[in-house]
Amino acid sequence: LVDKEWAKKIYNKAEKADGGCHEFRTLADSIHKHLDDKEWAKKVYSKAEKVDGDCYDFINLADSIVKNFGDNEWAKKVYTKGENKAKDYTESIRLADSIFENLDDKEWSKMIYEKAEGKAENCDQYESLAASVRDNLGDEKWAKSLDKKAKELEDDD
């Protein structure tokens, strides 16, 4: 983006358009990256937080907030919105992994991994959950019990 004034006009039009959480987050990411305008990016991230989105939208938004601003408190609020939207195993484990990686919050991650366990349906899911529990929480006992469940499901097939 050599012509920043032209880029600003385009970004302004995009910001005024109807969009969801994903669209506003990617716009804010771009404003932050290409214009290095932190205040404007924050304003657009705030818009993203206020519109409807799915679990992944809020996870990605919180990830961007941590990456670009290091604002863990704001990210926690956004991850909570993602948690409230999480419907299945895949969303839950992605959320727990992000919370662990970005906030280093083992307690919250553990709580969401527990929810993910209740949503796991096949041996692959139990195996990936066991890996996350082992790698992120260091809980070998729980990981072994998840591996056992995976093996049992595998033997049933």
Side-chain angles (χ1 to χ4, degrees), residues 15-46:
E15 185 182 359
K16 290 176 183 158
D18 285 337
C21 184
H22 171 77
E23 290 79 16
F24 284 124
R25 179 194 54 84
T26 55
L27 176 62
D29 285 347
S30 188
I31 289 168
H32 185 270
K33 180 180 177 181
H34 296 291
L35 299 179
D36 196 31
D37 189 329
K38 293 179 184 347
E39 291 308 310
W40 191 6
K42 281 182 182 181
K43 181 178 146 196
V44 179
Y45 283 134
S46 290

Side-chain angles (χ1 to χ4, degrees), residues 5-17:
E5 290 309 311
W6 181 66
K8 286 178 184 179
K9 288 178 185 177
I10 293 170
Y11 286 137
N12 270 313
K13 282 185 182 182
E15 185 182 359
K16 290 176 183 158

Side-chain angles (χ1 to χ4, degrees), residues 59 63 66 72 79 92-110 112-113 131-139:
I59 293 169
D63 291 350
V66 170
N72 290 357
Y79 281 129
S92 296
I93 195 159
R94 169 77 166 74
L95 176 65
D97 287 345
S98 278
I99 289 170
F100 176 80
E101 289 167 21
N102 291 308
L103 303 179
D104 195 31
D105 189 329
K106 286 186 176 185
E107 302 257 337
W108 192 7
S109 296
K110 180 180 179 182
I112 297 170
Y113 286 137
S132 286
V133 165
R134 184 177 288 113
D135 296 344
N136 296 340
L137 303 180
D139 190 332

Side-chain angles (χ1 to χ4, degrees), residues 8 20 24 33 40 46-47 70 73 75-76 81 98-99 141 151-152 155:
K8 286 178 184 179
F24 284 124
K33 180 180 177 181
W40 191 6
S46 290
K47 280 187 177 186
E73 290 306 311
K76 282 179 188 178
K81 289 182 179 202
S98 278
I99 289 170
K141 183 179 176 184
K151 179 78 172 126
E152 290 168 359
D155 291 343

